[in-house]
């Protein structure tokens, strides 16, 4: 979450449209969105949801149409069924509100090897969209969002690679390393949808 704040600050839609009212940060861990509340003056509150709160795929303790926004950074890749998870994250979102989700990009993060070298709990790899992949667990975000039964509008899909250092790790067999361990390294996909 902290690394994504920089690009969110450059896009006024986060502070004026996407992160407004009372929200939930699914899979927040210690890097919670609410600690950046001064950058999002329209955010009234943001509940953190992590393992102790229940199954993030089901969100069974949360009523329908409850939150003004849903935020999730690096949680969807841990879900057994990302489609079920997204359906429930949309279910708890009020109509006309936004879901902001960040997930690792399969090429930039996993770097051609799965199960993940860097996080063995990842269940799938993700791309924005490509016809062929080295991963047999690949999920194309455009196909996943298109398959959801709820009425949604895709507002944004972006590869977050502004601080990814493409010149590092060019020899994939010997120079691979997790760039997210550096202070600035992002190698993710972000999408924003409106319910």
């Amino acid at each position: 979450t902290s690394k994504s704040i920089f690009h969110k600050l450059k896009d006024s839609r986060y502070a004026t449209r996407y992160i407004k009212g009372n929200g939930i940060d699914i899979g927040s861990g210690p890097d919670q969105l609410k600690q950046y509340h001064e950058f999002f003056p329209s955010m009234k509150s943001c509940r953190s949801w992590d393992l102790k709160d229940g199954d993030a795929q089901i969100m069974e303790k949360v009523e329908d149409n409850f939150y003004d926004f849903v935020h999730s950074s690096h949680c969807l890749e841990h879900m057994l069924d990302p489609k079920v998870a997204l359906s429930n994250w949309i279910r708890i979102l009020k109509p006309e509100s936004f879901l902001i989700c960040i997930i690792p990009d399969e090429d930039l993060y996993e770097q051609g090897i799965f199960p993940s070298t860097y996080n063995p709990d990842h269940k799938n790899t993700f791309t924005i969209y490509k016809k062929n992949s080295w991963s047999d667990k690949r999920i194309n975000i455009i196909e996943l969002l298109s398959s959801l039964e709820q009425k949604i509008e895709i507002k944004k899909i972006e590869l977050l690679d502004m601080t990814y250092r493409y010149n590092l790790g060019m020899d994939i067999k010997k120079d691979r390393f997790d760039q997210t361990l550096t202070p600035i390294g992002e190698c993710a996909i972000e999408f924003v949808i409106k319910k």
Side-chain angles (χ1 to χ4, degrees):
T1 298
S2 57
K3 290 180 186 181
S4 74
I5 295 301
F6 297 108
H7 79 261
K8 287 177 170 62
L9 291 175
K10 294 190 307 184
D11 185 339
S12 65
R13 293 176 296 178
Y14 290 94
T16 62
R17 294 181 208 162
Y18 302 156
I19 301 174
K20 282 176 62 173
N22 301 304
I24 187 168
D25 187 7
I26 300 173
S28 58
D31 193 16
Q32 301 167 0
L33 180 66
K34 68 182 175 184
Q35 66 190 347
Y36 302 102
H37 65 274
E38 68 268 25
F39 299 128
F40 307 106
S42 298
M43 178 171 63
K44 294 180 183 174
S45 71
C46 186
R47 177 181 180 195
S48 296
W49 181 283
D50 216 18
L51 289 171
K52 63 179 175 38
D53 299 298
D55 187 344
Q57 182 169 291
I58 305 300
M59 303 298 291
E60 64 185 337
K61 297 177 186 175
V62 183
E63 63 186 85
D64 296 357
N65 307 307
F66 188 76
Y67 286 105
D68 298 309
F69 69 90
V70 172
H71 179 270
S72 179
S73 179
H74 295 279
C75 181
L76 190 63
E77 64 272 19
H78 299 281
M79 302 294 104
L80 291 172
D81 190 331
K83 183 176 179 179
V84 169
L86 281 177
S87 294
N88 280 304
W89 298 358
I90 294 166
R91 173 185 60 78
I92 66 174
L93 187 64
K94 289 179 181 176
E96 305 296 315
S97 297
F98 297 92
L99 164 65
I100 305 109
C101 186
I102 300 173
I103 50 177
D105 175 78
E106 76 172 14
D107 292 323
L108 302 183
Y109 185 74
E110 309 296 359
Q111 301 171 7
I113 297 175
F114 200 77
S116 179
T117 304
Y118 308 124
N119 192 322
D121 190 52
H122 286 185
K123 310 292 191 280
N124 296 286
T125 66
F126 293 90
T127 68
I128 291 175
Y129 180 85
K130 61 184 186 181
K131 292 193 178 210
N132 298 307
S133 171
W134 52 264
S135 172
D136 62 352
K137 294 288 191 174
R138 180 253 305 143
I139 295 175
N140 283 324
I141 290 302
I142 290 174
E143 291 174 346
L144 175 61
L145 296 178
S146 298
S147 73
L148 294 171
E149 293 180 16
Q150 293 109 321
K151 292 182 180 178
I152 63 162
E153 181 180 346
I154 299 171
K155 301 305 276 185
K156 176 183 178 179
I157 300 177
E158 181 180 357
L159 181 66
L160 302 178
D161 67 342
M162 186 181 301
T163 56
Y164 189 81
R165 299 170 66 196
Y166 283 92
N167 291 335
L168 297 177
M170 294 302 284
D171 183 342
I172 207 159
K173 291 187 172 127
K174 94 176 171 177
D175 295 331
R176 292 176 75 248
F177 79 100
D178 180 358
Q179 289 198 29
T180 64
L181 297 177
T182 68
I184 62 166
E186 273 193 290
C187 46
I189 299 165
E190 180 181 61
F191 60 88
V192 178
I193 57 176
K194 182 178 181 181
K195 180 176 180 181

